[in-house]
Amino acid sequence: MAHPLSDPAQELYDLIITARRAEAVDVLLATAGRTGFKNMVSGLLEPVLTRIGENWMAERISLAQGYVAGKVAEDVLMTAARSGEQWSGERKGPAVLCCIEDDFHALGRKLVGVFLRSAGWDVIDMGDDVCAADLVDRAVSAGARVVGASAMMLSTAMNIRSVREELARRGLEGRIQLAVGGAIFRLRPELVQEVGGDGTAESALQAPALFDSLLARSLALAPEVAP
Amino acid sequence: MNSTQRVFAAVTGEPADRRAFTLTLSLYGAALTGCPLDLYHSVPERYLEGQRAVLDSIGPDILFSPFVLPLEGRAFGCELAPQKNGPPNVKKPAIRDDAGLRALKAVDVESDPGLAYLVESVRLMSREFGPGVPLAGILTAPTDLAAMILGIERWLEILLFEPEAARDVLHVAVSHFHAMGSALLAAGATCIVTPVMFCNPQIMNPELAGTTVMPVLREAFGNAPGPVIFHHGGIPLSRHLDLFKDVPNLLGFVLDERDSFAQARQSLGPDPVLLGGLSGPHMPGRTPEAIRRRVLDVLQDRQDDPRFILATTSADVPMGTPLENILAVRNAVFSDGSPS
């Protein structure tokens, strides 16, 4: 059973779940004004996002509610950027995201980007319909150790195989880890292996934990600094 | 019994010579006839050839209209992207700014080439296959059409934060549902099958579903000029059926493979038809023997449920599915000894 949230965290959770986005952002910014952004993130926002992620994964809350959580995080993130605040205590490095070739379902990818940024990743979002070579090129040029490819349907998910092939062709397996996601991977979890993914997440809110684990695996397998 | 008699026996709960079954083989007709998808999804005669091959090779008890929902989006201005192995995707939504939102209006079914193709395909099938084969007309739910023409993110924004705009969009979507549903039924469709995602509690907050979305579905389905089958849209549905059981004019529900038929019956009572049992997108990755066992297990589970039709769930059966996998379904149904 999950630990109870603190009173302020429960208040924030309730605001997000009932789609009171502006009020939720106000609460977070007011807290940041008192304690600083970093403490607000670790003490208030992160526990609430963790709880929302748990409930989303357990199908106790809806995509729309997860979406509101993403928008609240994004609103606060943008405010932090404008004010020059340090968002997170730990920078994780670059992560490159895209919807794979022929896929145009952007929402899940965008939410993943929001939650990765809030966890300290420098997200490079390449958008929809990205071919494997372009994705790998961008990852190499940015020095990214984790890339994320999203697909909603079976037919487009199969295009992710070409990312695995491209990584192998360039000798980057292990060093660049491939996260895969999208609705079809929830329906057919075995597809993660079929398309050559190194891992997937149940929801956008679980993406930071996945990317953290893939980064750790990359560093273990290829500790050298890229040329 | 012919297929229509068998399917209607399932609707009325009467005995039949065997269990009615169907697979969503809209796309598979192109595989059987070797038809390029751009032609298959634009020329009604080519679609008819494909469905003729489906009927001859497999013989499901229900055939489907073209499963190309993005054609409805294109009628409103969505830009589509062709796919190598499936129907086109929506590349860009129709409405990209507030001006587009304000200008949104219903489209004419007859003058739009994509909508006319959908209707004409049903008309040709009805003419060729006659009254002995039920035809399911696939149609986007109004709630989901809104997501298609606005994009999922913008639609969520509007639903969550702009209720008046949401009502305006849904009004147009309901008009389209009625016009297109009427056209499909007039062309010979036996019923409308409509995948519904955007009021499932996994997608939409239950409160929002209750206040904004469900009234629209009640209006759209209640005023449809023929029976409507509620399709799970790729999301498990059985534990949410209490929300939908009183929606008027619903003949039945297609459930996800992960759903529990027993739970569905508990929510719905004995009358609505339940369809499902076998995931369409999983068909290529399973062996014929695994498919046979799955079908027999489902039929065993439903042996005392006369209002059940074995069907594939989720999306269309992929084109690359070996024919022997599909025939395994038919053969299992034919060999099943349980009462139907």
Side-chain angles (χ1 to χ4, degrees), chain B residues 68-80 90 92 94 104-116 118 145 148-149 172 176 180:
Chain B
V68 200
L69 303 181
L71 289 181
E72 293 177 70
R74 191 181 70 182
F76 284 88
C78 292
E79 186 181 331
L80 304 191
V90 173
K92 288 185 181 166
L104 178 65
K105 60 181 184 189
V107 295
D108 181 51
V109 170
E110 289 182 12
S111 59
D112 177 82
L115 301 183
L118 295 173
L145 181 68
M148 194 190 312
I149 62 182
V172 172
H176 170 77
M180 195 63 194

Side-chain angles (χ1 to χ4, degrees), chain A residues 89-107:
Chain A
E90 186 187 357
R91 305 309 302 172
K92 307 280 179 61
V96 186
L97 303 181
C98 73
C99 287
I100 198 63
E101 188 172 6
D102 291 339
D103 196 283
F104 298 90
H105 299 90
L107 177 63

Side-chain angles (χ1 to χ4, degrees), chain B residues 57-279:
Chain B
S57 306
I58 301 141
D61 288 311
I62 301 170
L63 290 177
F64 291 85
S65 67
F67 198 169
V68 200
L69 303 181
L71 289 181
E72 293 177 70
R74 191 181 70 182
F76 284 88
C78 292
E79 186 181 331
L80 304 191
Q83 302 280 298
K84 289 186 281 290
N85 299 311
N89 256 340
V90 173
K91 181 177 181 180
K92 288 185 181 166
I95 295 171
R96 298 165 205 177
D97 53 30
D98 288 346
L101 191 60
R102 287 192 294 274
L104 178 65
K105 60 181 184 189
V107 295
D108 181 51
V109 170
E110 289 182 12
S111 59
D112 177 82
L115 301 183
Y117 155 79
L118 295 173
V119 174
E120 185 61 16
S121 295
V122 170
R123 198 184 328 276
L124 294 183
M125 284 197 293
S126 175
R127 193 178 297 159
E128 171 144 337
F129 304 133
V133 181
L135 303 177
I138 304 173
L139 184 55
T140 308
T143 48
D144 295 45
L145 181 68
M148 194 190 312
I149 62 182
L150 285 155
I152 294 173
E153 186 173 4
R154 182 76 177 109
W155 179 230
L156 282 179
E157 284 275 330
I158 287 179
L159 263 180
L160 288 163
F161 306 121
E162 301 172 48
E164 285 187 16
R167 277 191 284 276
D168 291 345
V169 172
L170 287 170
H171 177 72
V172 172
V174 168
S175 296
H176 170 77
F177 185 86
H178 190 265
M180 195 63 194
S182 299
L184 290 170
L185 290 161
T190 314
C191 64
I192 297 299
V193 177
T194 184
V196 189
M197 293 175 72
F198 280 83
C199 68
N200 188 302
Q202 282 197 38
I203 302 290
M204 195 58 52
N205 316 0
E207 302 76 22
L208 195 60
T211 56
T212 308
V213 181
M214 286 304 298
V216 169
L217 282 190
R218 287 178 195 282
E219 178 191 351
F221 294 174
N223 293 328
V228 176
I229 304 278
F230 191 116
H231 184 284
H232 66 98
I235 311 171
L237 183 63
S238 58
R239 67 191 170 97
H240 307 302
L241 284 168
D242 282 343
L243 269 176
F244 308 116
K245 65 181 180 183
D246 297 325
V247 173
N249 202 24
L250 282 182
L251 184 64
F253 293 83
V254 182
L255 301 183
D256 190 276
E257 186 181 271
R258 295 162 287 182
D259 276 319
S260 157
F261 290 112
Q263 188 177 29
R265 274 283 170 241
Q266 196 168 11
S267 294
L268 296 170
D271 292 337
V273 179
L274 298 180
L275 300 97
L278 195 62
S279 167

